[in-house]
Amino acid sequence: MPIETIFQFGPFRITVTVVMTWLIMAVLVGFSWLLSRRLSREPGLVQVAVEGIIGAIDNTVRSVLPVHAERVFPLIATLWIFLAVANLAGIIPGLHSPTADLSATAALAILVFLSVPWFGISIEGLGGYLRHYLRPTPVMLPFHLISEFTRTLALAMRLFGNVMSLEMALLLVLVVAGFLVPIPLLVLHIIEGLLQAFIFGMLALIYISGAIQIQEHRRQTERKETA
């Protein structure tokens, strides 16, 4: 499905996807700023809902990555919240889900791809992180490298395919059946959009925690051997 270009600046095209991404980012930043200025010891409904969401994300991150969870939490929480809003943006008439564009999901997948060595190296150092590619045997090195790229491609394609198919299905039903019949499909779109956001963020968390926990396990083993 071709993505409409809003305007072009030299070789750079500003598409609907880019504009929608900027809009979602502005809305989330603005909402966060306003909410942080109105925090109360006796919270209202909005603050309770937001605190519940943040608490649930924090518990999920800590259940998967007990060690260094506080360092990974900002990235995973941002991914989950952004993807949930981005996936559901398409249900609003006149708006477009940026995650229905392969370029957007590829950018998010590349972000996850780069975050794995970033956290691994920042926590365990370059040598400690690179050694996990040679475990349990150096023969596994090419397979580890191939898996890094294939899982990045799978992340991008999975999110793009699911969101785009949901948008197309909803549009077709609206055209054929009118505005009342597709209500069950709209509910399905919401559930699937939230589910895809959860899956993407969870896979990112698993990839990052895998790199960190491998090094943590190695360090604990070395401590036991020297004890």
Side-chain angles (χ1 to χ4, degrees):
M1 184 171 62
I3 303 299
E4 179 185 354
T5 299
I6 304 299
F7 64 90
Q8 187 162 349
F9 182 74
F12 302 101
R13 294 189 307 124
I14 304 301
T15 64
V16 174
T17 299
V18 175
V19 174
M20 280 300 304
T21 301
W22 289 346
L23 177 61
I24 292 172
M25 291 168 58
V27 169
L28 291 176
V29 170
F31 176 78
S32 301
W33 183 84
L34 287 174
L35 185 64
S36 65
R37 295 298 181 275
R38 299 181 178 181
L39 294 178
S40 172
R41 293 183 179 274
E42 297 180 359
L45 183 61
V46 175
Q47 184 176 332
V48 170
V50 172
E51 289 178 352
I53 293 171
I54 298 301
I57 295 174
D58 182 64
N59 290 336
T60 303
V61 172
R62 292 185 184 278
S63 66
V64 176
L65 182 62
V67 181
H68 304 296
E70 67 283 352
R71 300 184 65 170
V72 179
F73 172 80
L75 173 65
I76 300 302
T78 302
L79 273 176
W80 264 330
I81 294 171
F82 173 80
L83 285 172
V85 176
N87 289 353
L88 299 181
I91 67 177
I92 301 175
L95 297 186
H96 165 73
S97 293
T99 45
D101 184 351
L102 183 58
S103 62
T105 58
L108 291 168
I110 291 173
L111 174 64
V112 174
F113 172 78
L114 296 176
S115 67
V116 174
W118 167 264
F119 284 109
I121 293 172
S122 64
I123 291 174
E124 293 296 332
L126 180 61
Y129 173 74
L130 292 179
R131 275 196 295 271
H132 92 274
Y133 286 106
L134 304 177
R135 296 179 184 275
T137 169
V139 177
M140 296 300 295
L141 174 62
F143 298 100
H144 285 309
L145 294 176
I146 291 173
S147 69
E148 293 282 347
F149 292 98
T150 54
R151 71 188 187 187
T152 302
L153 178 62
L155 269 179
M157 296 300 297
R158 179 188 294 109
L159 183 60
F160 159 71
N162 282 283
V163 176
M164 186 190 67
S165 62
L166 282 171
E167 279 202 343
M168 291 297 297
L170 182 61
L171 178 61
L172 289 174
V173 174
L174 283 173
V175 171
V176 174
F179 288 92
L180 295 179
V181 175
I183 291 178
L185 185 61
L186 184 62
V187 175
L188 177 63
H189 188 133
I190 294 173
I191 296 174
E192 182 68 17
L194 295 176
L195 179 61
Q196 290 304 318
F198 176 79
I199 292 174
F200 190 99
M202 181 58 73
L203 288 174
L205 176 59
I206 290 172
Y207 296 157
I208 295 171
S209 66
I212 295 174
Q213 288 180 342
I214 286 175
Q215 305 308 319
E216 185 68 20
H217 176 72
R218 174 183 59 80
R219 187 165 56 187
Q220 291 177 357
T221 302
E222 290 174 352
R223 287 175 180 174
K224 291 179 180 179
E225 291 176 352
T226 56

PDB file of all heavy atoms in Angstrom, residues 75 110-122 129 132-133 148 151-152 203-212:
ATOM      1  N   LEU A  75      13.194   1.972  28.217  1.00  0.00           N
ATOM      2  CA  LEU A  75      13.063   1.613  26.808  1.00  0.00           C
ATOM      3  C   LEU A  75      11.837   0.747  26.572  1.00  0.00           C
ATOM      4  O   LEU A  75      11.051   1.013  25.651  1.00  0.00           O
ATOM      5  CB  LEU A  75      14.320   0.876  26.341  1.00  0.00           C
ATOM      6  CG  LEU A  75      14.245   0.284  24.920  1.00  0.00           C
ATOM      7  CD1 LEU A  75      14.126   1.403  23.886  1.00  0.00           C
ATOM      8  CD2 LEU A  75      15.446  -0.599  24.624  1.00  0.00           C
ATOM      9  N   ILE A 110      15.211  -2.067  14.239  1.00  0.00           N
ATOM     10  CA  ILE A 110      16.632  -1.698  14.279  1.00  0.00           C
ATOM     11  C   ILE A 110      16.982  -1.112  15.637  1.00  0.00           C
ATOM     12  O   ILE A 110      18.070  -1.355  16.181  1.00  0.00           O
ATOM     13  CB  ILE A 110      16.956  -0.711  13.145  1.00  0.00           C
ATOM     14  CG1 ILE A 110      16.852  -1.426  11.786  1.00  0.00           C
ATOM     15  CG2 ILE A 110      18.354  -0.118  13.318  1.00  0.00           C
ATOM     16  CD1 ILE A 110      16.977  -0.497  10.597  1.00  0.00           C
ATOM     17  N   LEU A 111      16.063  -0.342  16.207  1.00  0.00           N
ATOM     18  CA  LEU A 111      16.273   0.198  17.549  1.00  0.00           C
ATOM     19  C   LEU A 111      16.474  -0.933  18.556  1.00  0.00           C
ATOM     20  O   LEU A 111      17.383  -0.870  19.405  1.00  0.00           O
ATOM     21  CB  LEU A 111      15.083   1.066  17.949  1.00  0.00           C
ATOM     22  CG  LEU A 111      15.078   1.601  19.390  1.00  0.00           C
ATOM     23  CD1 LEU A 111      16.247   2.546  19.604  1.00  0.00           C
ATOM     24  CD2 LEU A 111      13.762   2.310  19.691  1.00  0.00           C
ATOM     25  N   VAL A 112      15.636  -1.961  18.472  1.00  0.00           N
ATOM     26  CA  VAL A 112      15.787  -3.113  19.364  1.00  0.00           C
ATOM     27  C   VAL A 112      17.099  -3.835  19.087  1.00  0.00           C
ATOM     28  O   VAL A 112      17.815  -4.237  20.007  1.00  0.00           O
ATOM     29  CB  VAL A 112      14.593  -4.075  19.195  1.00  0.00           C
ATOM     30  CG1 VAL A 112      14.814  -5.351  20.015  1.00  0.00           C
ATOM     31  CG2 VAL A 112      13.290  -3.397  19.613  1.00  0.00           C
ATOM     32  N   PHE A 113      17.430  -3.985  17.791  1.00  0.00           N
ATOM     33  CA  PHE A 113      18.669  -4.653  17.388  1.00  0.00           C
ATOM     34  C   PHE A 113      19.885  -3.959  18.012  1.00  0.00           C
ATOM     35  O   PHE A 113      20.807  -4.619  18.511  1.00  0.00           O
ATOM     36  CB  PHE A 113      18.765  -4.640  15.868  1.00  0.00           C
ATOM     37  CG  PHE A 113      20.080  -5.124  15.325  1.00  0.00           C
ATOM     38  CD1 PHE A 113      20.366  -6.476  15.266  1.00  0.00           C
ATOM     39  CD2 PHE A 113      21.022  -4.227  14.861  1.00  0.00           C
ATOM     40  CE1 PHE A 113      21.586  -6.931  14.766  1.00  0.00           C
ATOM     41  CE2 PHE A 113      22.243  -4.661  14.361  1.00  0.00           C
ATOM     42  CZ  PHE A 113      22.519  -6.015  14.314  1.00  0.00           C
ATOM     43  N   LEU A 114      19.901  -2.625  18.003  1.00  0.00           N
ATOM     44  CA  LEU A 114      21.023  -1.867  18.549  1.00  0.00           C
ATOM     45  C   LEU A 114      21.005  -1.830  20.074  1.00  0.00           C
ATOM     46  O   LEU A 114      22.056  -1.718  20.712  1.00  0.00           O
ATOM     47  CB  LEU A 114      21.003  -0.439  18.007  1.00  0.00           C
ATOM     48  CG  LEU A 114      21.207  -0.295  16.492  1.00  0.00           C
ATOM     49  CD1 LEU A 114      21.065   1.160  16.071  1.00  0.00           C
ATOM     50  CD2 LEU A 114      22.568  -0.837  16.066  1.00  0.00           C
ATOM     51  N   SER A 115      19.813  -1.928  20.663  1.00  0.00           N
ATOM     52  CA  SER A 115      19.725  -1.848  22.123  1.00  0.00           C
ATOM     53  C   SER A 115      20.302  -3.090  22.802  1.00  0.00           C
ATOM     54  O   SER A 115      20.771  -2.997  23.947  1.00  0.00           O
ATOM     55  CB  SER A 115      18.262  -1.670  22.546  1.00  0.00           C
ATOM     56  OG  SER A 115      17.489  -2.824  22.260  1.00  0.00           O
ATOM     57  N   VAL A 116      20.279  -4.236  22.113  1.00  0.00           N
ATOM     58  CA  VAL A 116      20.808  -5.471  22.721  1.00  0.00           C
ATOM     59  C   VAL A 116      22.297  -5.329  23.017  1.00  0.00           C
ATOM     60  O   VAL A 116      22.723  -5.502  24.178  1.00  0.00           O
ATOM     61  CB  VAL A 116      20.517  -6.694  21.825  1.00  0.00           C
ATOM     62  CG1 VAL A 116      21.204  -7.934  22.385  1.00  0.00           C
ATOM     63  CG2 VAL A 116      19.015  -6.929  21.715  1.00  0.00           C
ATOM     64  N   PRO A 117      23.149  -4.997  22.020  1.00  0.00           N
ATOM     65  CA  PRO A 117      24.572  -4.810  22.372  1.00  0.00           C
ATOM     66  C   PRO A 117      24.817  -3.586  23.250  1.00  0.00           C
ATOM     67  O   PRO A 117      25.764  -3.569  24.046  1.00  0.00           O
ATOM     68  CB  PRO A 117      25.252  -4.649  20.996  1.00  0.00           C
ATOM     69  CG  PRO A 117      24.177  -4.228  20.070  1.00  0.00           C
ATOM     70  CD  PRO A 117      22.935  -4.887  20.570  1.00  0.00           C
ATOM     71  N   TRP A 118      23.969  -2.555  23.128  1.00  0.00           N
ATOM     72  CA  TRP A 118      24.147  -1.372  23.962  1.00  0.00           C
ATOM     73  C   TRP A 118      24.052  -1.735  25.448  1.00  0.00           C
ATOM     74  O   TRP A 118      24.928  -1.383  26.242  1.00  0.00           O
ATOM     75  CB  TRP A 118      23.109  -0.318  23.607  1.00  0.00           C
ATOM     76  CG  TRP A 118      23.017   0.799  24.612  1.00  0.00           C
ATOM     77  CD1 TRP A 118      22.129   0.916  25.655  1.00  0.00           C
ATOM     78  CD2 TRP A 118      23.884   1.932  24.709  1.00  0.00           C
ATOM     79  NE1 TRP A 118      22.369   2.066  26.378  1.00  0.00           N
ATOM     80  CE2 TRP A 118      23.440   2.703  25.827  1.00  0.00           C
ATOM     81  CE3 TRP A 118      24.969   2.376  23.969  1.00  0.00           C
ATOM     82  CZ2 TRP A 118      24.063   3.889  26.200  1.00  0.00           C
ATOM     83  CZ3 TRP A 118      25.590   3.564  24.349  1.00  0.00           C
ATOM     84  CH2 TRP A 118      25.139   4.306  25.437  1.00  0.00           C
ATOM     85  N   PHE A 119      22.990  -2.442  25.820  1.00  0.00           N
ATOM     86  CA  PHE A 119      22.831  -2.822  27.215  1.00  0.00           C
ATOM     87  C   PHE A 119      23.868  -3.857  27.623  1.00  0.00           C
ATOM     88  O   PHE A 119      24.400  -3.821  28.740  1.00  0.00           O
ATOM     89  CB  PHE A 119      21.420  -3.354  27.472  1.00  0.00           C
ATOM     90  CG  PHE A 119      20.374  -2.292  27.534  1.00  0.00           C
ATOM     91  CD1 PHE A 119      19.436  -2.153  26.514  1.00  0.00           C
ATOM     92  CD2 PHE A 119      20.315  -1.420  28.601  1.00  0.00           C
ATOM     93  CE1 PHE A 119      18.462  -1.173  26.568  1.00  0.00           C
ATOM     94  CE2 PHE A 119      19.351  -0.421  28.669  1.00  0.00           C
ATOM     95  CZ  PHE A 119      18.429  -0.298  27.642  1.00  0.00           C
ATOM     96  N   GLY A 120      24.151  -4.801  26.717  1.00  0.00           N
ATOM     97  CA  GLY A 120      25.129  -5.837  27.033  1.00  0.00           C
ATOM     98  C   GLY A 120      26.510  -5.257  27.291  1.00  0.00           C
ATOM     99  O   GLY A 120      27.176  -5.614  28.273  1.00  0.00           O
ATOM    100  N   ILE A 121      26.940  -4.331  26.421  1.00  0.00           N
ATOM    101  CA  ILE A 121      28.275  -3.746  26.561  1.00  0.00           C
ATOM    102  C   ILE A 121      28.333  -2.784  27.740  1.00  0.00           C
ATOM    103  O   ILE A 121      29.314  -2.743  28.482  1.00  0.00           O
ATOM    104  CB  ILE A 121      28.671  -3.030  25.256  1.00  0.00           C
ATOM    105  CG1 ILE A 121      28.842  -4.066  24.125  1.00  0.00           C
ATOM    106  CG2 ILE A 121      29.959  -2.237  25.432  1.00  0.00           C
ATOM    107  CD1 ILE A 121      29.051  -3.449  22.759  1.00  0.00           C
ATOM    108  N   SER A 122      27.279  -1.986  27.932  1.00  0.00           N
ATOM    109  CA  SER A 122      27.290  -1.011  29.020  1.00  0.00           C
ATOM    110  C   SER A 122      27.278  -1.680  30.383  1.00  0.00           C
ATOM    111  O   SER A 122      27.790  -1.120  31.360  1.00  0.00           O
ATOM    112  CB  SER A 122      26.081  -0.071  28.899  1.00  0.00           C
ATOM    113  OG  SER A 122      24.857  -0.785  29.044  1.00  0.00           O
ATOM    114  N   TYR A 129      30.565  -9.015  26.690  1.00  0.00           N
ATOM    115  CA  TYR A 129      29.412  -9.186  25.803  1.00  0.00           C
ATOM    116  C   TYR A 129      29.771 -10.037  24.589  1.00  0.00           C
ATOM    117  O   TYR A 129      29.009 -10.932  24.211  1.00  0.00           O
ATOM    118  CB  TYR A 129      28.894  -7.830  25.341  1.00  0.00           C
ATOM    119  CG  TYR A 129      27.819  -7.938  24.288  1.00  0.00           C
ATOM    120  CD1 TYR A 129      26.526  -8.350  24.617  1.00  0.00           C
ATOM    121  CD2 TYR A 129      28.087  -7.683  22.935  1.00  0.00           C
ATOM    122  CE1 TYR A 129      25.542  -8.478  23.660  1.00  0.00           C
ATOM    123  CE2 TYR A 129      27.107  -7.807  21.981  1.00  0.00           C
ATOM    124  CZ  TYR A 129      25.841  -8.203  22.337  1.00  0.00           C
ATOM    125  OH  TYR A 129      24.871  -8.347  21.384  1.00  0.00           O
ATOM    126  N   HIS A 132      29.814 -14.005  24.615  1.00  0.00           N
ATOM    127  CA  HIS A 132      28.620 -14.858  24.610  1.00  0.00           C
ATOM    128  C   HIS A 132      28.323 -15.393  23.213  1.00  0.00           C
ATOM    129  O   HIS A 132      27.608 -16.380  23.063  1.00  0.00           O
ATOM    130  CB  HIS A 132      27.419 -14.111  25.184  1.00  0.00           C
ATOM    131  CG  HIS A 132      26.587 -13.391  24.162  1.00  0.00           C
ATOM    132  ND1 HIS A 132      26.876 -12.116  23.746  1.00  0.00           N
ATOM    133  CD2 HIS A 132      25.471 -13.768  23.481  1.00  0.00           C
ATOM    134  CE1 HIS A 132      25.968 -11.735  22.860  1.00  0.00           C
ATOM    135  NE2 HIS A 132      25.113 -12.711  22.679  1.00  0.00           N
ATOM    136  N   TYR A 133      28.901 -14.756  22.167  1.00  0.00           N
ATOM    137  CA  TYR A 133      28.731 -15.280  20.819  1.00  0.00           C
ATOM    138  C   TYR A 133      29.516 -16.578  20.616  1.00  0.00           C
ATOM    139  O   TYR A 133      29.257 -17.325  19.658  1.00  0.00           O
ATOM    140  CB  TYR A 133      29.200 -14.255  19.783  1.00  0.00           C
ATOM    141  CG  TYR A 133      28.258 -13.089  19.607  1.00  0.00           C
ATOM    142  CD1 TYR A 133      28.564 -11.828  20.105  1.00  0.00           C
ATOM    143  CD2 TYR A 133      27.047 -13.243  18.938  1.00  0.00           C
ATOM    144  CE1 TYR A 133      27.699 -10.758  19.952  1.00  0.00           C
ATOM    145  CE2 TYR A 133      26.172 -12.186  18.776  1.00  0.00           C
ATOM    146  CZ  TYR A 133      26.505 -10.950  19.286  1.00  0.00           C
ATOM    147  OH  TYR A 133      25.641  -9.888  19.135  1.00  0.00           O
ATOM    148  N   GLU A 148      20.795 -12.843  15.066  1.00  0.00           N
ATOM    149  CA  GLU A 148      20.647 -11.422  15.392  1.00  0.00           C
ATOM    150  C   GLU A 148      19.901 -10.689  14.275  1.00  0.00           C
ATOM    151  O   GLU A 148      19.031  -9.850  14.530  1.00  0.00           O
ATOM    152  CB  GLU A 148      22.024 -10.776  15.605  1.00  0.00           C
ATOM    153  CG  GLU A 148      22.775 -11.267  16.821  1.00  0.00           C
ATOM    154  CD  GLU A 148      22.256 -10.652  18.109  1.00  0.00           C
ATOM    155  OE1 GLU A 148      21.491  -9.685  18.038  1.00  0.00           O
ATOM    156  OE2 GLU A 148      22.617 -11.165  19.187  1.00  0.00           O
ATOM    157  N   ARG A 151      16.019 -12.311  13.529  1.00  0.00           N
ATOM    158  CA  ARG A 151      14.987 -11.942  14.484  1.00  0.00           C
ATOM    159  C   ARG A 151      14.621 -10.464  14.363  1.00  0.00           C
ATOM    160  O   ARG A 151      13.485 -10.082  14.634  1.00  0.00           O
ATOM    161  CB  ARG A 151      15.423 -12.281  15.904  1.00  0.00           C
ATOM    162  CG  ARG A 151      16.528 -11.405  16.487  1.00  0.00           C
ATOM    163  CD  ARG A 151      17.000 -11.972  17.805  1.00  0.00           C
ATOM    164  NE  ARG A 151      17.948 -11.083  18.496  1.00  0.00           N
ATOM    165  CZ  ARG A 151      18.591 -11.426  19.607  1.00  0.00           C
ATOM    166  NH1 ARG A 151      18.390 -12.625  20.135  1.00  0.00           N
ATOM    167  NH2 ARG A 151      19.409 -10.576  20.184  1.00  0.00           N
ATOM    168  N   THR A 152      15.569  -9.629  13.920  1.00  0.00           N
ATOM    169  CA  THR A 152      15.262  -8.221  13.661  1.00  0.00           C
ATOM    170  C   THR A 152      14.300  -8.101  12.499  1.00  0.00           C
ATOM    171  O   THR A 152      13.315  -7.345  12.549  1.00  0.00           O
ATOM    172  CB  THR A 152      16.549  -7.436  13.360  1.00  0.00           C
ATOM    173  OG1 THR A 152      17.446  -7.556  14.477  1.00  0.00           O
ATOM    174  CG2 THR A 152      16.249  -5.969  13.113  1.00  0.00           C
ATOM    175  N   LEU A 203       9.213  -9.356  23.123  1.00  0.00           N
ATOM    176  CA  LEU A 203      10.347  -9.928  22.399  1.00  0.00           C
ATOM    177  C   LEU A 203      11.590  -9.065  22.575  1.00  0.00           C
ATOM    178  O   LEU A 203      12.697  -9.589  22.751  1.00  0.00           O
ATOM    179  CB  LEU A 203      10.002 -10.067  20.908  1.00  0.00           C
ATOM    180  CG  LEU A 203       8.994 -11.167  20.560  1.00  0.00           C
ATOM    181  CD1 LEU A 203       8.634 -11.111  19.084  1.00  0.00           C
ATOM    182  CD2 LEU A 203       9.551 -12.545  20.904  1.00  0.00           C
ATOM    183  N   ALA A 204      11.413  -7.743  22.516  1.00  0.00           N
ATOM    184  CA  ALA A 204      12.548  -6.854  22.762  1.00  0.00           C
ATOM    185  C   ALA A 204      13.124  -7.086  24.153  1.00  0.00           C
ATOM    186  O   ALA A 204      14.350  -7.153  24.335  1.00  0.00           O
ATOM    187  CB  ALA A 204      12.122  -5.399  22.593  1.00  0.00           C
ATOM    188  N   LEU A 205      12.256  -7.221  25.144  1.00  0.00           N
ATOM    189  CA  LEU A 205      12.698  -7.467  26.520  1.00  0.00           C
ATOM    190  C   LEU A 205      13.433  -8.798  26.629  1.00  0.00           C
ATOM    191  O   LEU A 205      14.464  -8.896  27.310  1.00  0.00           O
ATOM    192  CB  LEU A 205      11.483  -7.451  27.447  1.00  0.00           C
ATOM    193  CG  LEU A 205      11.730  -7.784  28.925  1.00  0.00           C
ATOM    194  CD1 LEU A 205      12.725  -6.811  29.537  1.00  0.00           C
ATOM    195  CD2 LEU A 205      10.414  -7.762  29.695  1.00  0.00           C
ATOM    196  N   ILE A 206      12.926  -9.821  25.956  1.00  0.00           N
ATOM    197  CA  ILE A 206      13.572 -11.141  26.004  1.00  0.00           C
ATOM    198  C   ILE A 206      14.946 -11.101  25.351  1.00  0.00           C
ATOM    199  O   ILE A 206      15.918 -11.672  25.864  1.00  0.00           O
ATOM    200  CB  ILE A 206      12.674 -12.191  25.325  1.00  0.00           C
ATOM    201  CG1 ILE A 206      11.426 -12.442  26.178  1.00  0.00           C
ATOM    202  CG2 ILE A 206      13.431 -13.499  25.108  1.00  0.00           C
ATOM    203  CD1 ILE A 206      10.386 -13.306  25.510  1.00  0.00           C
ATOM    204  N   TYR A 207      15.058 -10.411  24.196  1.00  0.00           N
ATOM    205  CA  TYR A 207      16.351 -10.314  23.520  1.00  0.00           C
ATOM    206  C   TYR A 207      17.378  -9.601  24.401  1.00  0.00           C
ATOM    207  O   TYR A 207      18.527 -10.036  24.519  1.00  0.00           O
ATOM    208  CB  TYR A 207      16.206  -9.564  22.197  1.00  0.00           C
ATOM    209  CG  TYR A 207      15.324 -10.250  21.178  1.00  0.00           C
ATOM    210  CD1 TYR A 207      14.718  -9.526  20.149  1.00  0.00           C
ATOM    211  CD2 TYR A 207      15.088 -11.623  21.239  1.00  0.00           C
ATOM    212  CE1 TYR A 207      13.901 -10.149  19.220  1.00  0.00           C
ATOM    213  CE2 TYR A 207      14.274 -12.246  20.308  1.00  0.00           C
ATOM    214  CZ  TYR A 207      13.679 -11.501  19.298  1.00  0.00           C
ATOM    215  OH  TYR A 207      12.869 -12.110  18.366  1.00  0.00           O
ATOM    216  N   ILE A 208      16.967  -8.495  25.012  1.00  0.00           N
ATOM    217  CA  ILE A 208      17.886  -7.733  25.855  1.00  0.00           C
ATOM    218  C   ILE A 208      18.249  -8.521  27.111  1.00  0.00           C
ATOM    219  O   ILE A 208      19.425  -8.610  27.489  1.00  0.00           O
ATOM    220  CB  ILE A 208      17.261  -6.378  26.244  1.00  0.00           C
ATOM    221  CG1 ILE A 208      17.076  -5.506  24.991  1.00  0.00           C
ATOM    222  CG2 ILE A 208      18.131  -5.656  27.261  1.00  0.00           C
ATOM    223  CD1 ILE A 208      16.270  -4.258  25.240  1.00  0.00           C
ATOM    224  N   SER A 209      17.246  -9.103  27.748  1.00  0.00           N
ATOM    225  CA  SER A 209      17.514  -9.849  28.980  1.00  0.00           C
ATOM    226  C   SER A 209      18.366 -11.076  28.695  1.00  0.00           C
ATOM    227  O   SER A 209      19.172 -11.479  29.543  1.00  0.00           O
ATOM    228  CB  SER A 209      16.201 -10.267  29.640  1.00  0.00           C
ATOM    229  OG  SER A 209      15.490 -11.197  28.831  1.00  0.00           O
ATOM    230  N   GLY A 210      18.217 -11.665  27.505  1.00  0.00           N
ATOM    231  CA  GLY A 210      19.044 -12.809  27.148  1.00  0.00           C
ATOM    232  C   GLY A 210      20.516 -12.446  27.158  1.00  0.00           C
ATOM    233  O   GLY A 210      21.352 -13.170  27.714  1.00  0.00           O
ATOM    234  N   ALA A 211      20.853 -11.303  26.553  1.00  0.00           N
ATOM    235  CA  ALA A 211      22.249 -10.875  26.501  1.00  0.00           C
ATOM    236  C   ALA A 211      22.777 -10.549  27.891  1.00  0.00           C
ATOM    237  O   ALA A 211      23.923 -10.866  28.218  1.00  0.00           O
ATOM    238  CB  ALA A 211      22.383  -9.657  25.590  1.00  0.00           C
ATOM    239  N   ILE A 212      21.952  -9.936  28.736  1.00  0.00           N
ATOM    240  CA  ILE A 212      22.398  -9.544  30.068  1.00  0.00           C
ATOM    241  C   ILE A 212      22.483 -10.747  30.994  1.00  0.00           C
ATOM    242  O   ILE A 212      23.469 -10.929  31.717  1.00  0.00           O
ATOM    243  CB  ILE A 212      21.444  -8.490  30.667  1.00  0.00           C
ATOM    244  CG1 ILE A 212      21.507  -7.210  29.831  1.00  0.00           C
ATOM    245  CG2 ILE A 212      21.800  -8.201  32.117  1.00  0.00           C
ATOM    246  CD1 ILE A 212      20.503  -6.164  30.264  1.00  0.00           C
TER     247      ILE A 212
END
